[in-house]
Amino acid sequence: MKLDEFDYVLPSELIAQHPPTERGASRMLTVDGATGSFRDGWFRDLPRLLEPNDLLVFNDTRVIRARLIGRKATGGRVEMLVERVLDDHHALVQLSASHTPREGSWLQFGGDLLVEVLSRHGEFFQVRFDSEAPVLDLLEQHGQLPLPPYIEREDEGDDATRYQTVYADKPGAVAAPTAGLHFSEPMLERIAQTGARSVFLTLHVGAGTFQPVRVDDVTEHRMHAERYQIGQDVVDAVVETKSKGGRVLAVGTTSLRALEAAAARTGTLEAGGGETNLFILPGFKFKVVDRLLTNFHLPKSTLLMLVSAFGGLDTIRRAYLHAVQERYRFFSYGDAMLIERA
């Protein structure tokens, strides 16, 4: 399976640089993986595509202000992206500077925040925040929202709310579960009125979601691990939904990865938590999810490979070509796609 099989041509002007004026005012391309057909519509149409026994599974992770700009002790500029908060004083981070900071060196952010570089682990560094305040509080004070690299601007005032789902609850992500950005409180109420149920799990999205695939044979790529937690209420809701002939709709690739990773361990979905580096490629056997709501993803990305596995490689290729021709908006602040499993 070659990387070029997941490439497509995307005009740069179709990459959404800002969210739509109103949350949920997006288009939605509905794709039937079984028949290969697709149709144009709007995200507001979602409730009428649900049945009373259906289940929606959301990711309630909250994006932290994980990006910090500062100086090394030598005066050189350094950018730090927190990948994972380890405890109140330690974190795993990515560092970008003209010369890589050494172990034992100090970095300064926001005038008075000092961070010590403890050790290196591949492309990550373990650091210690020299403060009595917890790391999450320090990030809230000194950090910036880590907007994706394809959004070519600094974060602005409304990004603090719009690059966060309305149900975000558990801090720990460095990127938003973007399919959830379409949902407003009124939309969640409309969904509840259909009789469909909603449950929440947590998967903290890491910076690895933007990691490029650097090998031609995609099966050689290794995913970064991400933490997830699935409650017994989610498991019970999935079992009940399946028993009544309903469909499990994963809101976002992160919800899907958490569900399928948890089911892959024993073959049956079980409550609990852990880390997953599950890499979903065409040929993957899905055990839990029947429908997927997602955004449009980067060429040659692992997320495009995931949706190709779910909807069928040829069908997704044609759907993306159609989306480009019809001028859909792409990536985090872009439009949505609802996929029925192939």
Side-chain angles (χ1 to χ4, degrees), residues 75-91:
R77 182 182 186 275
V78 62
E79 179 174 335
M80 183 166 75
L81 180 65
V82 175
E83 166 74 10
R84 180 178 302 187
V85 175
L86 301 175
D87 56 36
D88 278 352
H89 302 289
H90 297 83

Side-chain angles (χ1 to χ4, degrees), residues 231-249:
Q232 188 61 45
D233 63 317
V234 175
V235 176
D236 294 343
V238 168
V239 171
E240 183 178 353
T241 296
K242 298 284 190 180
S243 69
K244 292 182 177 180
R247 298 163 297 180
V248 175
L249 193 166

Side-chain angles (χ1 to χ4, degrees), residues 311-325:
L313 181 56
D314 181 63
T315 297
I316 295 300
R317 278 199 194 114
R318 292 187 297 104
Y320 268 63
L321 177 61
H322 174 83
V324 170
Q325 292 172 339

Side-chain angles (χ1 to χ4, degrees), residues 68-119:
L68 296 96
I69 308 296
R71 296 285 173 185
K72 297 185 291 183
T74 57
R77 182 182 186 275
V78 62
E79 179 174 335
M80 183 166 75
L81 180 65
V82 175
E83 166 74 10
R84 180 178 302 187
V85 175
L86 301 175
D87 56 36
D88 278 352
H89 302 289
H90 297 83
L92 199 64
V93 307
Q94 292 180 338
L95 295 174
S96 177
S98 57
H99 296 286
T100 302
R102 297 179 178 179
E103 295 180 6
S105 63
W106 289 87
L107 312 174
Q108 186 171 7
F109 301 96
D112 60 354
L113 175 60
L114 293 177
V115 175
E116 182 183 9
V117 179
L118 297 179
S119 57

Side-chain angles (χ1 to χ4, degrees), residues 130-191:
D130 187 31
S131 173
E132 294 182 0
V135 171
L136 287 175
D137 291 351
L138 295 170
L139 294 178
E140 191 64 28
Q141 179 182 353
H142 297 280
Q144 304 173 17
L145 271 180
L147 291 179
Y150 46 74
I151 294 182
E152 298 176 344
R153 60 177 177 81
E154 295 297 315
D155 64 302
E156 300 170 356
D158 64 344
D159 290 313
T161 55
R162 296 302 301 274
Y163 195 63
Q164 202 82 264
T165 64
V166 297
Y167 48 81
D169 181 49
K170 298 178 178 63
V174 301
T178 55
L181 299 180
H182 299 286
F183 290 84
S184 62
E185 292 291 354
M187 173 57 80
L188 294 174
E189 293 172 6
R190 287 182 59 202
I191 289 171

Side-chain angles (χ1 to χ4, degrees), residues 284-336:
F284 182 84
K285 301 300 182 184
F286 294 90
K287 296 180 175 64
V288 181
V289 179
D290 305 298
R291 308 172 90 188
L292 171 64
L293 181 78
T294 186
N295 283 20
F296 294 92
H297 302 293
L298 279 73
K300 298 184 178 181
S301 66
T302 59
L303 297 180
L304 181 56
M305 296 170 195
L306 183 155
V307 298
S308 297
F310 194 81
L313 181 56
D314 181 63
T315 297
I316 295 300
R317 278 199 194 114
R318 292 187 297 104
Y320 268 63
L321 177 61
H322 174 83
V324 170
Q325 292 172 339
E326 294 299 316
R327 312 292 290 179
Y328 276 73
R329 301 169 75 243
F330 279 66
F331 307 159
S332 295
Y333 277 149
D335 294 317

